[in-house]
Amino acid sequence: MAVASTHAINILLNSLSPFPKATPKFASPPPPSIHILSHHALRRPNMAAAAAASSLSQPFFPPLNVEYYDREFSGHGVNFQGIGDSVVVRLGLEDGSTANLMLPSGLITSYKPHMWHGGCEEVLHTVVSQGKEAEEEEEGEVVVQGGVSLGLKSVSDDGDEWSPGGWFLHDVQGNAHSSIQVELRCSSTDKLVNVRYLITLEKDILGSEIIVANSGPSPIQLLSSFMSHLTVSTPDAVYAVGLERANYFNKPPLRSEFSIIPPDFRKKSRGASNPLRGLFFGWNRRNEADGNDEPVTKDDDDSEKEEEEVDNYLQLTEKMSRTYTYAPRRFTIIDRGRRNSVVVGRIGFEEFHVYSPGSQHEWYGKYAFVCAGPSNTLKPVTLAPQDVWRGAQVLHNPSS
């Protein structure tokens, strides 16, 4: 994949930059716990499952139009910029913290919280490039990978599968002084599966929450994940802290249109069944033309062997990809090179997936990242008729 240099890509790169810096506020409250966060940062009213399912069954999808968005959602600390067939939604707080979201893909491309030294630093790793990745992709098409992406698939009793095919902006609430929340929606063609996707920016916090309602007459299985590409100096300097005694399986990286996976992480599957294949793909399903190339770890032959993490200060130097099944609700990624850290928390999800491409790649280059996020892939959620399931990822910046 060649690095793009077209005018459209330069505009997109500029769209990933922060708002003009506001006067920083140095006084900050104690870092919130994940328990507080589930009721505060991702604040949603309590509701009966049936009522929630009904409210989601007839969503209003506004057009993908910058002028419409400016007219309907101004005054909440957001602005909008059209880039080709996409719209970039920019969230900005008065302390300088920002987050950028792309529509209709729903990819969060940037999160820059206010740091201890007075400035704001990028937490996410995003790559903008162009190239012919698959048969249906046009030559020179702009490709954005990395960031924070949502993977979701529902499977009915009769084997019918559905995944979101594009997100629509439904609402924006809050203000630049305290917090901003953007609500996206998507429904299956038959309106039996309805999803709300909430992105919340608060001081030191970026929250991503999904609310899935089953409006159909039969139960469905939900496989889901949030995956965050976290930018790092080099995996040599990065440690995962707090996973000691957690159980894990060596599993392939959770792939999607937005995943960044080095070529040396791939090999022919030779017909082996991968339960995650086709699960996590983007809104235009580019990866459906990937053939039999499967991303795997060097321990793929032992993927069914459950192990226990023995290191509470796990260095991510080596290439690895693990799904932790018995794990704490939060752990910390520390980067000694950048002198910062990120706390990754989960609400509703039962697993954590951690993936490092290893340190053999160029420092500060395309593969200078680690991936972390909650998932329900080994044990899907069973959602009964007229029931609702919620799951969330929280990225907390303790370095303010």
Side-chain angles (χ1 to χ4, degrees):
M1 183 185 299
V3 176
S5 58
T6 64
H7 177 65
I9 297 177
N10 288 333
I11 294 176
L12 182 55
L13 285 169
N14 291 334
S15 76
L16 304 183
S17 62
F19 284 70
K21 187 182 298 184
T23 303
K25 296 181 179 181
F26 294 94
S28 62
S33 68
I34 297 300
H35 174 74
I36 296 175
L37 208 55
S38 64
H39 297 282
H40 178 62
L42 303 177
R43 57 177 71 89
R44 306 303 303 170
N46 292 324
M47 60 183 71
S54 175
S55 69
L56 288 173
S57 62
Q58 296 179 340
F60 169 63
F61 291 158
L64 193 66
N65 183 282
V66 173
E67 290 74 21
Y68 173 86
Y69 292 157
D70 284 333
R71 183 174 67 252
E72 293 294 322
F73 303 115
S74 62
H76 293 283
V78 301
N79 63 38
F80 307 91
Q81 181 179 4
I83 306 295
D85 295 331
S86 300
V87 171
V88 176
V89 185
R90 299 180 174 183
L91 296 72
L93 299 178
E94 291 178 354
D95 71 348
S97 299
T98 65
N100 291 349
L101 166 71
M102 293 188 67
L103 296 175
S105 66
L107 180 67
I108 301 174
T109 58
S110 176
Y111 171 43
K112 296 185 177 182
H114 185 261
M115 307 298 288
W116 59 271
H117 49 65
C120 296
E121 289 189 4
E122 182 61 71
V123 169
L124 303 180
H125 183 80
T126 306
V127 173
V128 183
S129 53
Q130 69 178 1
K132 192 171 179 56
E133 287 290 291
E135 294 178 1
E136 73 274 18
E137 181 183 326
E138 297 181 1
E139 190 71 37
E141 180 182 351
V142 175
V143 179
V144 183
Q145 295 174 295
V148 178
S149 61
L150 165 64
L152 177 67
K153 175 185 282 187
S154 71
V155 183
S156 65
D157 282 346
D158 56 9
D160 290 338
E161 300 180 355
W162 175 81
S163 292
W167 297 95
F168 298 86
L169 179 60
H170 179 77
D171 195 13
V172 179
Q173 297 184 7
N175 55 69
H177 176 68
S178 56
S179 67
I180 305 168
Q181 185 174 85
V182 173
E183 179 177 340
L184 311 181
R185 292 196 178 189
C186 186
S187 298
S188 60
T189 304
D190 55 14
K191 299 295 190 295
L192 297 183
V193 182
N194 304 281
V195 187
R196 296 166 62 188
Y197 182 10
L198 310 175
I199 298 94
T200 303
L201 177 66
E202 291 196 354
K203 181 179 176 59
D204 302 327
I205 293 167
L206 179 66
S208 304
E209 180 182 17
I210 52 171
I211 305 173
V212 184
N214 177 13
S215 301
S218 303
I220 58 175
Q221 298 287 312
L222 289 179
L223 297 93
S224 55
S225 80
F226 282 106
M227 197 51 51
S228 298
H229 291 68
L230 305 175
T231 187
V232 299
S233 53
T234 172
D236 280 337
V238 178
Y239 298 81
V241 181
L243 291 174
E244 185 179 15
R245 300 186 67 183
N247 294 350
Y248 69 87
F249 292 88
N250 290 300
K251 289 292 183 180
L254 302 184
R255 70 184 305 188
S256 78
E257 177 185 9
F258 311 111
S259 300
I260 305 174
I261 302 176
D264 61 355
F265 241 103
R266 299 175 181 268
K267 72 178 181 181
K268 289 291 184 179
S269 62
R270 295 186 178 90
S273 174
N274 181 356
L276 304 184
R277 178 168 178 77
L279 169 59
F280 300 103
F281 46 78
W283 66 277
N284 69 359
R285 307 187 182 186
R286 176 179 294 116
N287 282 331
E288 288 187 353
D290 278 352
N292 290 323
D293 288 339
E294 291 289 338
V296 297
T297 69
K298 62 184 179 181
D299 298 317
D300 189 58
D301 292 340
D302 298 325
S303 61
E304 299 306 317
K305 179 182 178 182
E306 187 173 20
E307 302 183 48
E308 181 177 304
E309 185 59 68
V310 298
D311 196 342
N312 196 50
Y313 209 70
L314 177 65
Q315 190 173 20
L316 302 183
T317 301
E318 299 298 326
K319 181 172 61 175
M320 56 88 76
S321 182
R322 297 174 179 175
T323 297
Y324 289 87
T325 58
Y326 181 74
R329 294 194 176 274
R330 56 179 174 175
F331 70 98
T332 304
I333 299 290
I334 295 178
D335 186 351
R336 288 181 170 179
R338 288 165 57 90
R339 294 192 296 174
N340 66 4
S341 60
V342 179
V343 180
V344 184
R346 62 180 174 90
I347 302 170
F349 291 91
E350 297 299 324
E351 308 156 3
F352 268 125
H353 191 83
V354 180
Y355 152 54
S356 173
S359 293
Q360 68 272 30
H361 304 285
E362 178 185 359
W363 286 22
Y364 310 105
K366 179 178 180 179
Y367 303 118
F369 70 91
V370 297
C371 268
S375 66
N376 285 327
T377 57
L378 301 184
K379 295 182 179 180
V381 173
T382 299
L383 192 58
Q386 307 304 314
D387 204 354
V388 173
W389 177 80
R390 297 169 180 246
Q393 172 185 262
V394 178
L395 299 181
H396 171 227
N397 166 45
S399 304
S400 60

